[in-house]
Amino acid sequence: MREIVLPHRGAEILFDVQDENIRLLESLFNIRINARGSQLFIEGEEKQVAALEAILEDFSKLVTQGTHFSNGDLQEAFEHIAQEGTLSLQDFFPKKPIVEKPFREVVPRSPNQIRYVRAIERSDLVFAIGPAGTGKTYLAVAMAVAFLTRKQVHRIVLARPAVEAGERLGFLPGDMQEKINPYLRPLYDALFHILGNEKVQKLVTRGVIEVAPLAFMRGRTLNDAFIILDEAQNCSSEQMKMFLTRIGLNSKAVVTGDITQIDLPSGQKSGLVEAKGILSHKGEISFCNFNERDSVRHRIVKLVIQAYGKAQK
């Protein structure tokens, strides 16, 4: 039997509602935990007990540092670590949020998301490739807001190719902006969620934030900007090259996409797939890959991604 003493508040956070986290740890590591106040008494196979002890040591350090936890985040981290065996709890909880108050606090929630954030800090061009709901766009927008508030860039430019996802929308009424807004809505949603509607509207009016179709980027040079190209799997080869050559001085660019959901006409090559083949060996350019374990949407989304992945293979 191994005894572990949790720090102040540690037991309260870990036990949560009806000891859900304790029961989860018992099932993941096939051990038994008896709790007496802040003391945990652990019984089981030595290797599994040692693995759990390492997790609880990391947990204690994070509690002492003042890290904020939600129950869902802890459960996801425990499951990841039990499956991978090579990760530590500290891989899931960065020391500080990307965006802080007065705006919505944004924190990466998986090792891949943390690596993605670090890659954006380090590299001027980052590609994020993976399935829907894994935080590619949302974290990129959060990083753009962080760079803007720290005055590391002077504006944010968000672009998307206007390609219909398997539907024919036909003639859309209204002026040009009203016609293209449906394609750009996901980018606005991320901005509104982080900054709030009023703040976004002010920044758009002042030209500090620009959201536009990819076609509007042609012929421009974007200096002092944080540039995001979303849904890049639907760019043609020519569009991707055009976008990448818009990057100006003191600018960062993030390209996001899901190469399993390409909506280009049959026979047309995806610019994102081509760029991955051409640029992935360039040291100054970062490529970050995501999978269903990085999903931050409803838990059923992970099951959907896994099922479709198996069927396509």
Side-chain angles (χ1 to χ4, degrees):
M1 181 182 292
R2 194 81 58 89
E3 178 185 354
I4 296 174
V5 179
L6 298 175
H8 178 62
R9 288 188 65 250
E12 177 186 340
I13 295 168
L14 187 63
F15 296 161
D16 198 66
V17 181
Q18 297 180 342
D19 297 348
E20 285 183 7
N21 291 328
I22 295 294
R23 304 286 81 84
L24 176 63
L25 288 170
E26 286 182 324
S27 65
L28 290 174
F29 292 92
N30 194 27
I31 47 89
R32 182 168 178 77
I33 302 174
N34 289 307
R36 297 175 190 169
S38 60
Q39 293 175 296
L40 300 182
F41 298 92
I42 305 169
E43 296 180 83
E45 184 183 330
E46 180 62 28
K47 183 179 179 182
Q48 297 293 76
V49 171
L52 179 58
E53 186 175 25
I55 290 175
L56 293 176
E57 285 178 359
D58 279 342
F59 173 73
S60 297
K61 290 176 184 175
L62 290 166
V63 170
T64 303
Q65 293 167 4
T67 302
H68 171 75
F69 301 95
S70 74
N71 186 48
D73 290 345
L74 270 177
Q75 288 184 358
E76 287 184 11
F78 291 153
E79 290 171 357
H80 271 283
I81 294 168
Q83 291 167 3
E84 297 290 337
T86 57
L87 300 170
S88 76
L89 198 60
Q90 299 202 43
D91 291 325
F92 292 82
F93 298 97
K95 293 182 178 178
K96 63 178 183 177
I98 299 169
V99 180
E100 301 181 79
K101 295 178 180 179
F103 308 122
R104 179 178 291 273
E105 192 173 273
V106 179
V107 180
R109 295 173 56 183
S110 75
N112 282 337
Q113 291 186 355
I114 292 173
R115 283 191 282 269
Y116 180 39
V117 168
R118 289 172 181 166
I120 294 173
E121 291 277 8
R122 181 183 67 248
S123 302
D124 288 339
L125 176 57
V126 177
F127 286 82
I129 300 173
T134 50
K136 305 181 303 295
T137 303
Y138 189 81
L139 288 175
V141 171
M143 288 296 288
V145 170
F147 270 71
L148 183 67
T149 56
R150 296 197 302 250
K151 296 185 172 22
Q152 291 176 272
V153 297
H154 294 154
R155 57 179 170 157
I156 297 171
V157 179
L158 311 178
R160 248 183 169 222
V163 175
E164 298 163 350
E167 301 177 61
R168 289 292 172 264
L169 302 180
F171 176 78
L172 293 172
D175 59 21
M176 178 62 73
Q177 193 62 41
E178 291 171 325
K179 291 177 191 293
I180 63 177
N181 269 347
Y183 296 105
L184 305 174
R185 190 73 216 178
L187 295 171
Y188 279 112
D189 287 344
L191 285 168
F192 290 153
H193 194 253
I194 295 169
L195 292 175
N197 293 23
E198 186 177 341
K199 182 68 173 178
V200 171
Q201 296 295 352
K202 286 181 180 179
L203 292 174
V204 169
T205 301
R206 289 166 46 199
V208 176
I209 293 178
E210 177 184 353
V211 185
L214 177 60
F216 288 16
M217 299 295 108
R218 188 173 296 279
R220 301 177 63 185
T221 301
L222 302 172
N223 296 316
D224 297 307
F226 196 114
I227 316 155
I228 300 172
L229 174 58
D230 192 36
E231 296 289 338
Q233 76 275 4
N234 290 328
C235 296
S236 66
S237 298
E238 294 78 10
Q239 286 176 320
M240 178 61 75
K241 183 180 178 182
M242 180 272 290
F243 172 80
L244 295 177
T245 53
R246 300 307 96 203
I247 304 171
L249 298 174
N250 192 40
S251 288
K252 279 188 178 285
V254 178
V255 179
T256 72
D258 178 1
I259 58 177
T260 69
Q261 296 194 48
I262 298 173
D263 301 311
L264 292 169
S266 179
Q268 186 171 1
K269 190 171 185 178
S270 165
L272 179 58
V273 173
E274 183 180 65
K276 183 179 180 182
I278 294 173
L279 300 174
S280 60
H281 63 285
K282 301 294 184 183
E284 295 181 20
I285 300 172
S286 294
F287 279 79
C288 299
N289 296 300
F290 295 84
N291 55 50
E292 72 278 357
R293 292 179 181 173
D294 301 302
S295 176
V296 292
R297 294 182 181 172
H298 193 288
R299 278 180 171 266
I300 204 166
V301 173
K302 295 183 181 181
L303 301 178
V304 170
I305 295 170
Q306 287 173 339
Y308 272 87
K310 289 178 180 178
Q312 288 167 351
K313 286 179 181 178

